[in-house]
Amino acid sequence: MTRPLRPAPRSPRKPRPAVAAHKAPAKAAGTRSGKAAASKPYHHGDLRRVLVEAAFDLVAERGPETVSVREAARRAGVSPGAPFRHFESRDALMAAVAAEAQRRFRQEIATALAAVPADQPLRRFRALGLAYLRWAMRNPGHFEVISDGRLFDFDAAQGEASGLKADNAEIIDMSAQWLADASAKGLLRSADVKLMQIAGRALVYGYARMKADGHFPRWGVGEAEIEPMAEAVLDLFLAGIAKGDGPIKGRAPRA
Amino acid sequence: MTRPLRPAPRSPRKPRPAVAAHKAPAKAAGTRSGKAAASKPYHHGDLRRVLVEAAFDLVAERGPETVSVREAARRAGVSPGAPFRHFESRDALMAAVAAEAQRRFRQEIATALAAVPADQPLRRFRALGLAYLRWAMRNPGHFEVISDGRLFDFDAAQGEASGLKADNAEIIDMSAQWLADASAKGLLRSADVKLMQIAGRALVYGYARMKADGHFPRWGVGEAEIEPMAEAVLDLFLAGIAKGDGPIKGRAPRA
DNA sequence: ACGCGGTGTATGCGGCGATTACATTCGCGA
DNA sequence: TCGCGAATGTAATCGCCGCATACACCGCGT
């Protein structure tokens, strides 16, 4: 499942995919001369969104490194210079992709957490870690994108509200809160919450990157074992920081 | 400490760095084995090595993404096409850089382990993890290079003996052996050695990548705290998998 | 001594990110 | 309703890149 090493052999010459999708720029009714004419209007209507979607798909298909502004423009059916009306650089485009990926990631985590009672911090912590791992296992390209610190910094430097920074901070804060709660409830062996937070993060991040970076074959872990082992690794960690021997995933964390 | 986002603004126009280093300038004796003449010999003498060194330095200076074959050629004082006599592609060059980095990494680990008795498997395991973390903290670019699964696969696909694969496997085997020894000695809470091995690897790998990827500022960890916290994280992990409460780093691991 | 093969240079191709000049269209105020 | 500036598209261009090809040089084995 490894991707090509360099920016990509490009694609084998495409003739131009016409105009691509169009969101229905509304105003089909002629309030204001709307009409997205049948044959390629000069103005695209929602190019910014379409470019992000194209780049987003390219990330999933061939990995972040292979994404080029020109290819995204090709897929959107516009000239190579057009994207620069909406993104000051390739990295601005990629940062938008990262924001979208982070948004979906956050959504998936929220869904996973909905099933876990709020008063069981370690179970919530575990559910967070599991959702993190599962999403990263299944979206390695997008995981790479949201892990790129340079894109994050680029995005954060723009005053704009892309949500990337906020969505990321929310996840960090959640993990800190639950560990603190667990600690307050006397569920943890150590009192150094910050340390456990960083260690937990490093663990899931490392596991996810090992997958994305293609390290598991070297470690004798077959493709089918990766996800189950992710869960086992997470539970090993929880067993290491939790007081007592009971499994965290069980019903009652206190006895 | 973040690096530029894209392949690099290049360098701001360099006039050409002359010929670079050269081993033995003399050659006065006109016999066969002359290495170099005073003024730029047609044949470089040891271009392959010099190119790897140039790329190696570029990785340290500006990160792996910014390395270009042409820049390496410039630093070596040769034409842009010359490197392709020695490396079939940019990735072949980078794989050579990875092999060199891995070699140094392995050397540093060996040095660190020399001080730890062979009959104390957990202390050796800890020393390995610590050496791993320290090296990665201090050589983030080179750490990225040896972590690039595609370069590893590329190198492994070549029949050639670059040492990358062997050096890597050796480290993996060491960690497995010591955990197995520790397990046999009854030092571990769990019997699943493979799981602990993968978890330990994911932990240090994740921590190291968090550093290389610039994540620590987002987690409220200042530059000065990173290395001490690396050690603390490692010890948290060891405390989690080891039986009893005694610190691993201490003198006697059994009592 | 010679010539073959290894290693360098010169040149060129196509792709890339990015900039600039120009074309088209949207939408807002008079 | 018109008109004009701002927004957003195209075309052409620049310089850098990886890489291929043809040619120049030269060390070494015969």
Side-chain angles (χ1 to χ4, degrees):
Chain A
M1 207 285 195
T2 37
R3 275 178 266 101
L5 276 159
R6 269 265 106 182
R10 248 47 228 146
S11 52
R13 211 85 298 260
K14 278 208 229 162
R16 267 232 182 177
V19 88
H22 247 246
K23 269 295 177 176
K27 43 191 60 179
T31 29
R32 285 282 168 171
S33 73
K35 74 184 56 177
S39 67
K40 181 151 184 167
Y42 189 88
H43 286 304
H44 186 289
D46 201 2
L47 183 55
R48 185 185 172 96
R49 173 175 303 278
V50 171
L51 286 170
V52 173
E53 285 170 2
F56 188 88
D57 293 346
L58 278 167
V59 166
E61 291 167 22
R62 309 195 304 226
E65 277 85 31
T66 75
V67 175
S68 78
V69 175
R70 296 174 103 101
E71 176 80 8
R74 251 172 257 133
R75 292 205 175 189
V78 296
S79 70
F84 291 95
R85 290 290 181 195
H86 300 273
F87 301 97
E88 67 176 67
S89 66
R90 175 188 185 275
D91 295 306
L93 172 59
M94 294 304 285
V97 171
E100 170 62 16
Q102 182 78 264
R103 202 184 57 77
R104 299 195 190 197
F105 182 33
R106 177 183 173 283
Q107 180 55 46
E108 193 145 312
I109 287 174
T111 301
L113 285 173
V116 183
D119 64 341
Q120 304 200 358
L122 275 189
R123 285 191 62 202
R124 286 183 82 80
F125 189 75
R126 193 186 109 97
L128 171 63
L130 213 50
Y132 187 105
L133 286 166
R134 283 171 55 94
W135 190 84
M137 300 295 106
R138 299 173 184 189
N139 305 275
H142 296 140
F143 172 71
E144 276 185 74
V145 168
I146 66 175
S147 301
D148 190 326
R150 295 184 289 249
L151 291 182
F152 183 92
D153 293 342
F154 180 91
D155 186 82
Q158 314 285 102
E160 312 289 329
S162 77
L164 210 180
K165 194 173 180 177
D167 284 346
N168 190 265
E170 188 187 9
I171 294 172
I172 293 175
D173 291 344
M174 288 191 309
S175 72
Q177 188 58 55
W178 298 331
L179 281 180
D181 289 352
S183 185
K185 285 192 172 190
L187 300 174
L188 303 178
R189 297 169 68 191
S190 159
D192 194 339
V193 168
K194 176 88 171 286
L195 182 64
M196 287 181 286
Q197 187 197 15
I198 298 292
R201 152 69 180 198
L203 185 75
V204 295
Y205 185 65
Y207 196 92
R209 286 223 72 133
M210 283 180 71
K211 164 82 161 80
D213 295 346
H215 286 199
F216 279 118
R218 293 184 235 171
W219 288 78
V221 178
E223 189 65 31
E225 305 172 64
I226 295 181
E227 275 206 44
M229 182 169 271
E231 187 165 353
V233 161
L234 182 59
D235 284 330
L236 178 68
F237 177 76
L238 289 170
I241 66 169
K243 203 170 274 182
D245 300 321
I248 305 303
K249 52 180 156 183
R251 203 108 272 284
R254 312 199 62 165
Chain B
M1 205 295 207
T2 38
R3 275 179 266 100
L5 276 161
R6 268 265 105 183
R10 244 47 233 154
S11 48
R13 213 87 293 266
K14 275 206 234 165
R16 268 241 181 174
V19 87
H22 251 245
K23 308 268 178 164
K27 185 269 166 72
T31 53
R32 298 292 155 120
S33 56
K35 284 278 165 135
S39 66
K40 182 152 182 166
Y42 189 88
H43 287 299
H44 185 287
D46 202 3
L47 182 54
R48 184 185 173 96
R49 173 173 305 278
V50 172
L51 286 170
V52 173
E53 285 170 2
F56 188 89
D57 293 346
L58 278 167
V59 166
E61 291 167 23
R62 309 196 301 227
E65 278 84 30
T66 75
V67 175
S68 79
V69 174
R70 294 173 105 103
E71 175 81 9
R74 248 172 259 133
R75 292 205 174 189
V78 296
S79 70
F84 291 94
R85 291 289 180 196
H86 301 272
F87 302 97
E88 67 176 71
S89 66
R90 175 189 186 274
D91 295 305
L93 172 59
M94 293 304 284
V97 171
E100 171 63 16
Q102 182 79 262
R103 201 184 58 77
R104 300 197 190 193
F105 182 31
R106 176 183 174 282
Q107 179 56 45
E108 193 144 312
I109 288 174
T111 301
L113 285 172
V116 183
D119 64 342
Q120 304 199 359
L122 274 189
R123 285 192 61 203
R124 286 184 82 81
F125 188 76
R126 192 185 109 97
L128 171 64
L130 213 50
Y132 186 105
L133 286 167
R134 282 172 55 97
W135 189 84
M137 300 297 105
R138 298 174 183 189
N139 305 275
H142 297 139
F143 173 71
E144 276 186 73
V145 168
I146 67 174
S147 301
D148 190 326
R150 296 184 287 249
L151 291 182
F152 183 92
D153 293 343
F154 179 92
D155 187 82
Q158 315 284 101
E160 311 289 328
S162 78
L164 210 181
K165 194 173 180 178
D167 284 345
N168 190 265
E170 188 188 9
I171 294 172
I172 294 175
D173 291 344
M174 287 191 310
S175 72
Q177 187 59 55
W178 297 332
L179 281 179
D181 290 352
S183 185
K185 286 191 173 190
L187 299 175
L188 303 179
R189 298 168 67 191
S190 159
D192 194 340
V193 168
K194 176 87 168 287
L195 182 65
M196 288 181 287
Q197 187 196 13
I198 299 292
R201 153 68 181 200
L203 186 74
V204 294
Y205 186 64
Y207 196 92
R209 287 223 71 133
M210 283 180 71
K211 165 81 161 78
D213 297 344
H215 288 200
F216 278 118
R218 293 184 235 170
W219 289 77
V221 178
E223 190 65 31
E225 306 173 64
I226 294 180
E227 274 206 43
M229 182 169 272
E231 187 165 355
V233 162
L234 182 61
D235 284 330
L236 178 68
F237 176 77
L238 289 169
I241 65 169
K243 205 170 272 181
D245 299 321
I248 305 302
K249 53 180 156 182
R251 205 107 271 286
R254 312 200 60 169

